[in-house]
Amino acid sequence: MARKALIIKCSKPAKFSTRNYRRCSRCGRVHGIIRQFGVCRICLREMAYNGEIPGMHKSSW
């Protein structure tokens, strides 16, 4: 879980466009963001397991 101050700082527009970086919309994590969903890999796995993403389910074999 990211610090609240970093999440607020990220929500403000950056001075230069190269300073922008993505954060997970659920937990605020910086690394491992899936662009199509806007969440990190950990949150994506939890959401898929709970059935919150239509058409996606957690695979097991």
Side-chain angles (χ1 to χ4, degrees):
M1 190 73 177
R3 292 194 330 242
K4 192 70 172 176
L6 293 177
I7 296 172
I8 293 169
K9 184 179 176 182
C10 180
S11 66
K12 295 178 183 177
K15 186 174 182 179
F16 302 104
S17 63
T18 56
R19 291 185 184 174
N20 289 335
Y21 56 94
R22 300 179 187 277
R23 284 192 173 267
C24 176
S25 59
R26 286 183 73 198
C27 65
R29 183 179 165 87
V30 181
H31 298 290
I33 305 300
I34 312 299
R35 287 188 182 192
Q36 186 176 2
F37 300 103
V39 294
C40 66
R41 58 184 177 79
I42 299 165
C43 292
L44 181 71
R45 185 173 186 266
E46 290 173 359
M47 291 171 68
Y49 185 71
N50 294 332
E52 297 174 11
I53 300 175
M56 181 181 281
H57 61 277
K58 183 176 166 282
S59 64
S60 60
W61 58 86

